[in-house]
Amino acid sequence: MRERLVVIGGDAAGMSAASQARRLKDPDELEIVAFERGHHASYSACGIPYWVAGDVDDPEQLVARTPEEHRARHIDLRTRTEVTEIDVAGGRVRSRRLPDGQEVWTGFDKLVVATGARPVRPPLPGIDAPGVHGVQTLDDGQALLDTLRGTKGRQAVVVGAGYIGVEMAEALLRRDYEVTLLNRAPEPMTTLDPDMGRLVHEAVTGLGIRMVNEAEVTEIRTDEQGRARAVVTSDAEYPADVVVLGIGVRPESELAEAAGLPVGDFGGILTDQAMRVRGQSAIWAGGDCVEVLDLVAGRQRHIPLGTHANKQGQVIGTNVGGGYATFPGVVGTAVSKVCDLEIARTGLLEAEAREAGFQFVTATVEATSRAGYFPGAASMTVKMLAERRTGRLLGTQIVGREGAGKRVDVAAVALTAGMTVEQMTALDLGYAPPFSPVWDPVLVAARKATQAVRAHGAG
Ligand SMILES: Cc1cc2nc3c(=O)[nH]c(=O)nc-3n(C[C@H](O)[C@H](O)[C@H](O)COP(=O)(O)OP(=O)(O)OC[C@H]3O[C@@H](n4cnc5c(N)ncnc54)[C@H](O)[C@@H]3O)c2cc1C
């Protein structure tokens, strides 16, 4: 009998799941209906800062597969259609077509919830004024570009100095805006320890971005036409012709929660390793709307990243299509950049390691990306955390110029394999002067961390 798979959410997780299920099951075995609230499907939100910066001219380049291409593959993708209710017991979802408000119920044999995340928008005066922009979707990116094109003033304020805020600050700087970056924490990039965040602070300031830490935004001040004109903090007021918000996201899980599906402490849907919603036999969830297992801390967390969403979607599609796949968890790897400064982390920060109950040592080294004599050798700082008793690697952070960021992948593999920092020092990494010094910066850090473990009496 032909079954029907319903997918809610038409981006990374949802359409990866739908596409993989379609690869495994023919249309006469499995009908696939996908609902997407927006105009686009399978788009790369990750590319928005580079589109705004001008590296990418056309938003179509950020679309991996258009709605028409999905439909040609026998996926009935219904854009501009929002799912408003999941009836778990009845095996059906209610959807509303946004252009005309028409509502229908659609039955399912299998359901995938891939509703993503919702940007945090604190209820401040002026937060919804024209000129204030989020950057979550391609429509958001287009609205921001329209504002930039229609504004003569050159003052931009970015609220939030996580990776999205920092990437957007660069994008606006490259469009010749005077950029102020407001940050609530003591240093930018709270995905790093403050001593590593300090390096980002210095680099960002060196680029000409005004970086203000410990800034608590209280209001977006508007003019007589209601347009944003300034961002007010508890200490100061920053003139703004455009305001960009990058203050984090929360799982978009209300629909699932209202249907009685389980959510965790961070508000993300809870699944097993096959990405099946806990307690359900025919409902899966993946992407920014779920919590993941942090394999280092051994806890559930919410880590909204496209890299996870795509992999989880693939796992879901395989299981829905009759195969077997699992997503065992993550080690917390992320990489980003601001101009030529590369910023990367994997595993736990000091505060996270402490919270997870680890006793640990740290080691920080300065090293170069190539042999010191080789043209273009650039400096980087590598910080490593290792468990004090066992020497097991707990985390690595890297801040530096070209060639720094993706070095974190070596540490991510070591974390996944449960290696000690001493074992890492013997890793057979490639070497030639244009690529690294004889001792790669990651190995130099591992060696120093090994010394710190020994000094603290491992074993
Ligand atoms: C500016 C920016 C830069 C980023 N850069 C990176 C990066 O460099 N690396 C990285 O790994 N990640 C990055 N990310 C994160 C990445 O984009 C997300 O993790 C990824 O898009 C999550 O995919 P998803 O399918 O779970 O959710 P989403 O991409 O949010 O898709 C969910 C979709 O579901 C739809 N939807 C929600 N509710 C409903 C409903 N009730 N009915 C119908 N449709 C619904 C939404 O409209 C949305 O299109 C970035 C994000 C942003 C915003």
Side-chain angles (χ1 to χ4, degrees):
M1 202 190 71
R2 191 186 192 214
E3 291 192 317
R4 182 185 291 146
L5 165 67
V6 165
V7 177
I8 311 174
D11 194 24
M15 295 321 289
S16 295
S19 301
Q20 176 66 359
R22 173 53 73 235
R23 272 180 218 114
L24 298 176
K25 289 269 185 206
D26 290 335
D28 57 353
E29 293 175 287
L30 185 70
E31 179 190 359
I32 305 179
V33 181
F35 294 98
E36 167 52 51
R37 189 161 50 198
H39 292 94
H40 302 276
S42 297
Y43 54 91
S44 167
C46 315
I48 293 173
Y50 307 101
W51 173 31
V52 173
D55 293 327
V56 177
D57 324 316
D58 184 352
E60 296 307 319
Q61 290 174 258
L62 302 184
V63 175
R65 202 167 280 168
T66 63
E68 294 70 32
E69 286 169 325
H70 281 299
R71 288 176 198 129
R73 287 161 191 250
H74 304 284
I75 294 172
D76 178 4
L77 171 61
R78 302 182 190 171
T79 47
R80 303 288 289 132
T81 309
E82 182 173 40
V83 172
T84 52
E85 189 178 342
I86 304 171
D87 173 5
V88 173
R92 57 186 191 152
V93 300
R94 181 163 51 180
S95 64
R96 182 158 49 93
R97 254 186 357 209
L98 296 179
D100 61 10
Q102 194 191 67
E103 293 201 334
V104 291
W105 283 98
T106 306
F108 64 80
D109 300 292
K110 294 174 175 175
L111 176 69
V112 174
V113 183
T115 42
R118 172 176 296 174
V120 173
R121 239 182 144 92
L124 298 174
I127 195 95
D128 294 321
V132 181
H133 293 272
V135 284
Q136 187 73 7
T137 63
L138 293 191
D139 291 341
D140 293 340
Q142 188 59 60
L144 171 59
L145 281 168
D146 291 345
T147 293
L148 299 182
R149 283 182 195 123
T151 312
K152 286 204 188 71
R154 307 309 295 172
Q155 311 252 37
V157 175
V158 178
V159 182
Y163 80 94
I164 291 178
V166 167
E167 287 175 0
M168 289 310 302
E170 172 188 346
L172 292 162
L173 187 74
R174 289 175 54 202
R175 285 202 169 251
D176 290 331
Y177 280 79
E178 284 174 33
V179 183
T180 301
L181 182 55
L182 300 180
N183 175 37
R184 188 191 239 169
E187 293 294 353
M189 297 295 299
T190 50
T191 48
L192 300 176
D193 285 331
D195 54 339
M196 298 295 279
R198 180 82 208 160
L199 303 176
V200 179
H201 181 162
E202 285 162 9
V204 159
T205 306
L207 293 168
I209 293 170
R210 175 163 57 166
M211 170 90 241
V212 186
N213 288 324
E214 298 180 322
E216 189 66 45
V217 173
T218 55
E219 179 186 349
I220 312 285
R221 188 150 296 159
T222 53
D223 61 15
E224 311 79 62
Q225 282 81 46
R227 273 196 65 80
R229 283 291 165 229
V231 178
V232 183
T233 69
S234 28
D235 302 321
E237 179 168 324
Y238 301 92
D241 300 298
V242 60
V243 179
V244 173
L245 303 177
I247 39 186
V249 295
R250 298 276 174 275
E252 173 103 43
S253 54
E254 290 80 359
L255 192 65
E257 199 174 1
L261 301 181
V263 300
D265 293 344
F266 299 94
I269 302 168
L270 296 174
T271 71
D272 63 17
Q273 288 204 348
M275 303 310 300
R276 204 187 297 258
V277 174
R278 287 192 196 163
Q280 297 294 324
S281 57
I283 306 181
W284 288 258
D288 285 2
C289 64
V290 303
E291 293 184 6
V292 287
L293 177 64
D294 178 330
L295 294 168
V296 187
R299 295 181 172 180
Q300 292 292 127
R301 287 172 66 184
H302 182 235
I303 306 182
L305 285 175
T307 172
H308 306 163
N310 279 286
K311 290 174 191 140
Q312 291 169 347
Q314 176 92 5
V315 165
I316 293 171
T318 301
N319 293 327
V320 166
Y324 174 70
T326 57
F327 184 86
V330 302
V331 292
T333 312
V335 62
S336 57
K337 75 167 195 70
V338 53
C339 292
D340 65 350
L341 189 79
E342 301 183 357
I343 305 158
R345 57 91 36 101
T346 188
L348 305 180
L349 307 181
E350 288 197 37
E352 292 165 345
R354 229 169 267 124
E355 197 192 326
F358 288 108
Q359 295 190 337
F360 57 89
V361 297
T362 66
T364 303
V365 301
E366 300 277 333
T368 55
S369 57
R370 304 172 183 191
Y373 56 81
F374 198 88
S379 70
M380 72 182 78
T381 305
V382 183
K383 176 172 180 177
M384 228 168 238
L385 274 68
E387 191 180 12
R388 201 162 81 184
R389 191 176 59 80
T390 63
R392 175 163 77 105
L393 177 69
L394 292 178
T396 300
Q397 298 158 59
I398 306 179
V399 175
R401 308 288 158 178
E402 191 189 354
K406 284 293 276 177
R407 280 192 152 87
V408 83
D409 288 344
V410 172
V413 173
L415 272 174
T416 307
M419 293 175 78
T420 65
V421 282
E422 186 166 5
Q423 286 169 333
M424 285 180 78
T425 61
L427 282 174
D428 182 18
L429 304 185
Y431 159 69
F435 299 105
S436 76
V438 180
W439 280 86
D440 188 272
V442 171
L443 300 188
V444 179
R447 206 167 52 181
K448 189 162 177 196
T450 303
Q451 288 160 3
V453 170
R454 287 193 187 133
H456 286 85

